[in-house]
Amino acid sequence: MPDSGGSRAQRAHIPTSGTGPGTDADLRTGPGADGDPTVPHGDAGALAVDPAAPQVTAPAGLPEVPVLAEAPGRPGAPGLSGPAAKAARRTGLLVTLVLGGLTALPPLSMDMYLPALPAVTDSLSAPAATIQLTLTACLAGMALGQLVVGPMSDRWGRRKPLLLGMVVYVLATAICALAPTAELLIGFRLLQGLAGAAGIVIARAVVRDLYDGVEMARFFSTLMLISGVAPIIAPLIGGQVLRVTDWRGIFVVLTGVGIALTLVVWKWLHETLPPADRHTGGVTDALRTMRGLLADRVFTGYMIAGGLAFAVLFAYISASPFVVQEIYGASPQTFSLLFGLNSIGLIAVGQINGKLLVGRFSLDKVLGFGLAVIVLAAVALLLMTTGVFGEAGLVPVAAGLFVLMSAMGLAMPNTNAQALMRTKHAAGSASALLGTSSFLIGAIASPLVGIAGEDTAVPMAVVQVVCAVAAVACFLLLCRPWQRAGREAGGL
């Protein structure tokens, strides 16, 4: 069974049997085959086991914080002294905000641009399907870039590849603002995606460096809260930018955001992968590592299920500007408001997942429920857009999209957590495969939603139903959660 402990710096404090606050009955301390309770090789932030003076060895670049034997009111749980507790909280908050900013960059790059899609179509005199390829190009770039950056981060650490990617992202985004044709805009969006992939893949790898099991799932939910603010404010910012300038101004704003985030990473995000835990092989070794990950049927099942769920989400992202504005006649500001409400639903459910569900129910049960709700919402949207219930207006369609988006708060963090729990020594490569599959499947779904033109929402609903049903099938056939639940119940 994958390790299901808390943060790696605290796992040695988790009891080896029984239950306690903040743990499941089936939590493990992660001993090796010989029963050695030490943290497996490759775990950053491992506890230095010293009975006389327990210490947390922080990841490289982060302050080392002394730990008391027990926290008041929580027997067996680590506690911090006053100044040390404040330092730990500041460090944890800072890392969370930086990683949240990195995961927020993709929705910023996508969603600020969404209200401008019709304007870009008119400005560059290109058909809607061609302009939608600017989204596809950015997604494809993020997918392919992760395959490169992930293994790079396993070999050279997290910090250097991240900074290089951020600098190239800033340059590519600035060039997008100057693109005179749709073809050039598509090309620069591809480069923007290739560079922006660094933030996506390395943020997940850093989480894997620092956390494990249930705590990793909770941290992903916390990141969803932070990065989820981006989809809320990005269309609103994009709509307001369009009131004072044209679509090129949106890329100017994104350039400024990229510069600010690059400076924050350079100053405050320290290295989390110690040199001793890095891979020294070249391309062949990286490919061998990825092949080994893909040979894990369960990892592959979570990877594909998560990618298909992301395709459902991106079908909505790609088609909603035309569906809401062109078919139902809403203004860019109304579209931005509805998009923000849907993002609030995703954030709220993500926090329910992290604060209430994780630790009380198995991750597979929560994930399965989320996928089932996505399927039901997608089917309802298909029935409404095909006229089964008569001519549906904006309100019922928006309600269906709200339910669909909210259920993503159960599917997305849990697929990532379950997959990454199975990878201890290749977090960068595993994160790259997770991100690449999601963005490639999303890139394929993007042009399909506009295949019948701008006057119907049926293609969007069809793509969502097909991808949602396929995600459930992968989860059941490849992950086989009932088998793994039986083994865990038997103590295996």
Side-chain angles (χ1 to χ4, degrees), residues 59-63 90-99 102 159 162-163 206 210 259-272:
L62 297 182
R90 285 196 300 268
T91 299
L93 177 61
L94 187 58
V95 171
T96 301
L97 291 176
V98 174
L99 296 182
L102 292 173
R159 182 175 165 83
L162 176 58
L163 286 172
V206 169
L210 300 177
I259 292 173
L261 189 55
T262 302
L263 294 175
V264 168
V265 169
W266 174 74
K267 184 169 179 60
W268 283 299
L269 185 62
H270 302 284
E271 183 59 63
T272 60

Side-chain angles (χ1 to χ4, degrees), residues 105 163-177 191-192 195-196 251-252 254-263:
L105 192 60
L163 286 172
L164 177 61
M166 292 302 302
V167 170
V168 177
Y169 172 87
V170 169
L171 295 175
T173 305
I175 296 173
C176 284
L191 180 60
Q192 183 190 41
F251 287 105
V252 173
L254 284 173
T255 301
V257 172
I259 292 173
L261 189 55
T262 302
L263 294 175

